[in-house]
Amino acid sequence: MAQNSEYKELLLNRKKEIEKIINSLKNELKGVNSCDIKEDGDFAACSTNSENNYQIYKKQLQELKEIEEALLAIEKETYGICQMCEEPIDPERLKIKPFAKYCIDCRELIEKENK
Ligand SMILES: [Zn+2]
């Protein structure tokens, strides 16, 4: 088992990045709302942009949630264990995606089910 403190640092760094992205997206989304008053042509352009930003915003929020869960798991010493099969997650995978909750096998199963 690799050192959890390493992952914790990865997670905390990522968390900071995401919080920055979320904050700037929030500002952009707010700015876009003021487009509502403009004439129709502008509004169309603005709302497409806002839709994209909103999707990114939602994704970032989701990732932030997963990071917080992973940090909690480190505290509880359940970090790095697949939540489906309870096998340890490959450390190489955790380095790329430190907030992974599932091992590669289970992740693939879930993705297939979601399709
Ligand atoms: Zn698994």
Side-chain angles (χ1 to χ4, degrees), residues 34-46:
S34 63
C35 292
D36 288 0
I37 332 161
K38 291 185 184 168
E39 62 260 49
D40 290 357
D42 277 345
F43 175 71
C46 287

Side-chain angles (χ1 to χ4, degrees), residues 80-98:
I81 311 273
C82 173
Q83 289 187 4
M84 283 255 286
C85 65
E86 295 181 357
E87 293 289 329
I89 301 169
D90 184 356
E92 290 305 313
R93 173 164 161 74
L94 286 175
K95 271 181 206 155
I96 301 163
K97 197 181 169 192

Side-chain angles (χ1 to χ4, degrees), residues 35-105:
C35 292
D36 288 0
I37 332 161
K38 291 185 184 168
E39 62 260 49
D40 290 357
D42 277 345
F43 175 71
C46 287
S47 63
T48 318
N49 197 11
S50 144
E51 177 67 25
N52 284 343
N53 279 341
Y54 186 62
Q55 291 304 328
I56 300 168
Y57 178 68
K58 271 206 306 198
K59 251 194 179 159
Q60 298 296 322
L61 275 187
Q62 175 65 27
E63 193 173 327
L64 188 65
K65 211 180 112 203
E66 285 177 15
I67 287 171
E68 272 165 2
E69 279 173 20
L71 285 167
L72 211 69
I74 289 177
E75 300 300 320
K76 288 187 194 162
E77 293 179 356
T78 56
Y79 180 72
I81 311 273
C82 173
Q83 289 187 4
M84 283 255 286
C85 65
E86 295 181 357
E87 293 289 329
I89 301 169
D90 184 356
E92 290 305 313
R93 173 164 161 74
L94 286 175
K95 271 181 206 155
I96 301 163
K97 197 181 169 192
F99 51 87
K101 281 190 282 189
Y102 307 106
C103 68
I104 289 172
D105 292 343

